[in-house]
Amino acid sequence: MEKIIYMRDCLLNQLKALCHGSQEAVQSGTDFSELDQYLHVNRPIDNEVCDHMDDILRVGGGILLLVGSAGDGKSHMISYLKSIDKYKEFVFYNDATEGCSPQISAVDTLKFALRDYRNATLNETTSKTVLAVNIGKLQDLVENDEFKEGFAELYTIADAIANNDAFYSHPRIKVVSFAHRQAFELILDEDIDYPVKSDFMAEILSRITQPVPINPFYKAYLETKATSGTHDVHEVVAMNYRLLMHENIRKAIVNLIIEAIVRFKLVLTPREFLDFIYCILVPQKWSKYGRRSDFFTSQLPSLLFDSNGGKIQQAISRLDPLKYSSLLHDNELSKFYASFEFDRSCINSELLDQDIVDYYTSTLSQLYNASSGQSERNNKGNIAVLIFKLNRLLEYQSYSEPYKKFLKDITGYYASKAAVLREINEMVKMSVPRLYGSYIEEPDFVPLNLQGSNYKIFTSLQIPDADIVPREPFNVEYPFIFDLYFNTEWDFSTEQIPLKIDFPLYEHMYELRNGKLSSHFDGEKNLQFSNFVRKLSKFSDAKKSLTIVDSDNHKQKLTNKYNQIQLH
């Protein structure tokens, strides 16, 4: 009996290793367990780190700085590097911002770790060091006077990193920064609907679900599947895992996360991603699971869009297909409410494997037939929502037209497509006069921040075409290094006015171009664009002429000529 219980718990216990609160999930940079080894996905940044360490070995000594933020994978990387024999000579400092004792500050701890790389010893030392440091503490370090004087070469490079400036490389000082590295890759292909992917996320999901003997998760799944009781929580977790084994569902999950990164500025770390996988497979209150009360909320399609879940789930919940109304959606949902018995044709059996179709057909038919009255109506609704979300996961699509257009334009931007650059230029010019809520097609009008409910005041300015050039050219060998914004610069005689167009601003201008009237709240939400327009007004002829536009778009001109103000 104990063996059966152990086998039944196998999958749940194995998945707990992914949970944020588990001991295995928190890397200290010391051990690299068998599970770490199995889940390790070699990222391009790993190759870059190893190349720098090889360079340090060749010159006989030096230091590698890993600069980033909490949870971005530095600890896991250090654990991995420690497991490689050829790097045994290196001393590793993981999270060197923690003092050796409460009496030692983070800056003093950093200086201790850097002691062999002072001005006098940098070029002769045989020490080999890898130091992981968060960008905030690096900024504190460069403000330290002793560090400035005693570590001149290191200071120059560290100061440049802290201020996001370029710096010259040094044969004994290597740097790998986690900044400007996206969690996904951009594909410069105009024929792809969604020219983005994440090899890292896709590979992690594949490692967890691939049906091979060396996969501890799959082995646990088989044991749980063979012993789980009918309708218990272990059966639910096993079916969620079975769904995650489906390639289309894994692709949809990756695409949803990428969409949340772009649209909502979701920032996720490798540690958070593993915790997210646990959260979409295991219900929050699994120990108190009851089929009647918890079945529908415990399914993967429900957990994925759970607004009360973790950070990634909360972001994805904003992409819940139920929030995007359409005639197609309404027709699909209405079938469930109009039928007298569960219709298995509502499940996309062409894309789902037969065992999954059979499970949901059997389980949902029982729930459908075992209810009556209010319970029946609730179950019909719950079944409709579950199958609707499941079918959407089998064929991912975004319901945001601005997002789909942004992806197309960002690829054209990095491919230097003239048509895309011209369109971005014109979209900004068309959006300027509409900043404060006017629907007006006058690209040379600049609104002043003196707007009433019935009248809008504009000045005139011949706005030049913008220079629209990426901060750095796109390198197809490093498709994860790019900026998620259009870098534009508007050149006037005495000043260059920059404007970075990220997705929220792009979406705002896209909607203005398509007829949406801007509100005061929109102006507060897009302060960067409001400041840009205010700077434009400085170069206008506001001192000589103003245009007043009423609510019917009738225009009157107010001029100042020879100190006489006239209304035309």
Side-chain angles (χ1 to χ4, degrees):
M1 183 66 179
E2 289 182 2
K3 183 178 180 181
I4 293 176
I5 294 174
Y6 168 77
M7 293 176 66
R8 185 184 64 191
D9 294 344
C10 267
L11 181 57
L12 183 57
N13 289 335
Q14 185 65 50
L15 290 171
K16 285 179 182 177
L18 306 176
C19 179
H20 185 71
S22 73
Q23 185 176 355
E24 294 89 342
V26 181
Q27 284 281 342
S28 63
T30 54
D31 300 318
F32 202 67
S33 66
E34 287 186 20
L35 183 61
D36 292 329
Q37 188 71 48
Y38 176 73
L39 288 177
H40 177 73
V41 174
N42 201 34
R43 297 176 292 171
I45 196 171
D46 297 325
N47 299 330
E48 187 179 348
V49 166
C50 290
D51 288 344
H52 285 319
M53 294 176 72
D54 291 342
D55 290 340
I56 289 173
L57 287 173
R58 276 192 288 271
V59 299
I63 183 168
L64 169 62
L65 301 176
L66 302 180
V67 185
S69 56
D72 56 15
K74 297 188 298 296
S75 298
H76 176 84
M77 183 178 290
I78 283 181
S79 298
Y80 169 68
L81 294 170
K82 283 183 175 181
S83 70
I84 301 176
D85 287 338
K86 71 173 178 177
Y87 298 136
K88 294 297 184 184
E89 296 179 42
F90 280 83
V91 176
F92 296 88
Y93 289 91
N94 180 55
D95 193 12
T97 61
E98 293 183 1
C100 301
S101 74
Q103 288 75 37
I104 300 178
S105 69
V107 170
D108 287 337
T109 303
L110 283 169
K111 287 189 293 184
F112 176 80
L114 299 169
R115 62 193 181 281
D116 292 333
Y117 306 99
R118 292 178 175 272
N119 300 337
T121 57
L122 174 62
N123 294 313
E124 285 78 32
T125 185
T126 58
S127 297
K128 303 169 186 69
T129 304
V130 174
L131 186 149
V133 60
N134 289 342
I135 186 67
K137 293 304 177 184
L138 189 67
Q139 290 170 335
D140 292 340
L141 180 65
V142 299
E143 294 174 2
N144 182 269
D145 291 336
E146 182 187 347
F147 179 70
K148 292 179 184 179
E149 296 174 4
F151 302 80
E153 293 282 1
L154 259 175
Y155 168 77
T156 300
I157 292 175
D159 184 57
I161 298 168
N163 291 289
N164 203 26
D165 295 331
F167 57 87
Y168 294 103
S169 60
H170 188 284
R172 285 175 172 261
I173 303 173
K174 305 295 182 181
V175 178
V176 172
S177 173
F178 286 71
H180 301 294
R181 297 172 188 266
Q182 304 296 339
F184 60 95
E185 296 84 54
L186 189 64
I187 307 168
L188 298 192
D189 187 338
E190 295 179 343
D191 297 327
I192 300 177
D193 290 335
Y194 302 99
V196 286
K197 63 174 183 170
S198 173
D199 289 339
F200 173 75
M201 286 188 276
E203 181 61 23
I204 288 290
L205 289 171
S206 177
R207 293 277 178 96
I208 290 172
T209 57
Q210 59 185 342
V212 294
I214 62 170
N215 179 0
F217 298 96
Y218 181 68
K219 182 180 177 182
Y221 161 72
L222 292 178
E223 292 181 349
T224 292
K225 183 182 176 184
T227 56
S228 61
T230 306
H231 312 319
D232 65 2
V233 69
H234 300 287
E235 180 185 69
V236 171
V237 174
M239 182 46 62
N240 286 345
Y241 180 87
R242 179 68 183 87
L243 281 176
L244 195 63
M245 291 176 69
H246 198 290
E247 184 179 7
N248 281 28
I249 289 178
R250 296 200 305 273
K251 285 182 177 180
I253 290 171
V254 172
N255 277 318
L256 284 166
I257 292 175
I258 293 174
E259 185 172 352
I261 291 171
V262 176
R263 293 181 61 187
F264 314 131
K265 296 186 180 293
L266 170 68
V267 177
L268 78 161
T269 65
R271 184 189 305 164
E272 289 168 337
F273 181 62
L274 293 177
D275 182 66
F276 161 77
I277 296 171
Y278 170 82
C279 290
I280 64 174
L281 295 177
V282 181
Q284 283 190 40
K285 299 179 180 179
W286 62 268
S287 61
K288 298 180 180 179
Y289 173 81
R291 188 193 190 205
R292 180 169 300 190
S293 58
D294 301 316
F295 174 82
F296 292 106
T297 58
S298 300
Q299 304 299 306
L300 183 148
S302 302
L303 294 171
L304 181 62
F305 296 104
D306 183 5
S307 60
N308 295 315
K311 182 174 78 171
I312 301 176
Q313 288 165 284
Q314 290 175 26
I316 292 178
S317 72
R318 299 170 68 180
L319 304 175
D320 190 332
L322 282 174
K323 296 181 179 179
Y324 298 87
S325 179
S326 71
L327 186 60
L328 180 64
H329 288 183
D330 294 342
N331 288 339
E332 184 174 339
L333 289 166
S334 66
K335 292 180 183 178
F336 292 93
Y337 294 96
S339 60
F340 293 100
E341 59 182 14
F342 179 74
D343 183 2
R344 68 177 291 153
S345 67
C346 294
I347 302 175
N348 193 333
S349 57
E350 293 183 6
L351 294 178
L352 279 174
D353 297 324
Q354 191 60 46
D355 62 318
I356 300 176
V357 175
D358 291 343
Y359 168 80
Y360 277 115
T361 299
S362 172
T363 305
L364 296 179
S365 294
Q366 292 174 26
L367 292 169
Y368 198 95
N369 296 328
S371 56
S372 61
Q374 184 62 42
S375 175
E376 178 183 6
R377 288 190 290 274
N378 289 340
N379 273 350
K380 279 187 176 183
N382 290 328
I383 291 171
V385 168
L386 175 61
I387 298 302
F388 176 78
K389 290 182 178 180
L390 176 59
N391 288 340
R392 298 288 79 72
L393 286 176
L394 292 170
E395 297 179 286
Y396 165 82
Q397 62 174 307
S398 171
Y399 299 101
S400 167
E401 293 302 322
Y403 171 70
K404 290 187 281 190
K405 187 68 167 62
F406 180 84
L407 292 184
K408 292 288 187 182
D409 284 352
I410 204 78
T411 56
Y413 166 68
Y414 276 106
S416 300
K417 298 290 185 180
V420 171
L421 303 181
R422 190 180 306 113
E423 185 177 4
I424 296 296
N425 180 74
E426 294 306 314
M427 185 165 67
V428 174
K429 289 185 176 183
M430 187 61 69
S431 300
V432 168
R434 298 182 182 180
L435 173 63
Y436 296 116
S438 294
Y439 185 76
I440 187 169
E441 296 190 29
E442 296 284 354
D444 292 333
F445 272 22
V446 177
L448 299 182
N449 193 21
L450 296 168
Q451 308 297 322
S453 57
N454 295 320
Y455 295 94
K456 311 291 182 185
I457 302 177
F458 298 85
T459 183
S460 297
L461 174 66
Q462 188 73 37
I463 303 176
D465 290 333
D467 291 325
I468 307 177
V469 182
R471 185 181 57 85
E472 290 183 4
F474 187 80
N475 187 338
V476 292
E477 294 184 5
Y478 300 97
F480 53 89
I481 300 180
F482 62 95
D483 294 315
L484 267 175
Y485 59 78
F486 301 93
N487 188 47
T488 74
E489 201 163 73
W490 307 75
D491 192 5
F492 291 85
S493 56
T494 59
E495 185 180 349
Q496 289 182 327
I497 305 178
L499 179 65
K500 291 182 179 179
I501 306 172
D502 58 6
F503 178 77
L505 179 53
Y506 178 94
E507 181 181 39
H508 181 59
M509 293 194 295
Y510 179 96
E511 291 170 344
L512 291 179
R513 185 180 62 180
N514 286 288
K516 178 184 176 181
L517 292 180
S518 181
S519 66
H520 177 70
F521 174 72
D522 289 325
E524 292 180 347
K525 200 168 56 174
N526 293 285
L527 289 175
Q528 182 195 182
F529 188 53
S530 297
N531 292 333
F532 171 74
V533 172
R534 289 192 185 99
K535 288 180 180 180
L536 290 181
S537 66
K538 293 192 307 183
F539 298 93
S540 70
D541 61 354
K543 292 183 179 180
K544 297 179 180 178
S545 174
L546 297 174
T547 300
I548 302 173
V549 180
D550 64 21
S551 56
D552 294 323
N553 271 2
H554 296 141
K555 303 181 186 69
Q556 289 182 295
K557 182 166 283 191
L558 197 66
T559 60
N560 182 3
K561 192 171 184 180
Y562 305 123
N563 294 323
Q564 286 189 329
I565 297 176
Q566 297 180 329
L567 186 64
H568 306 277

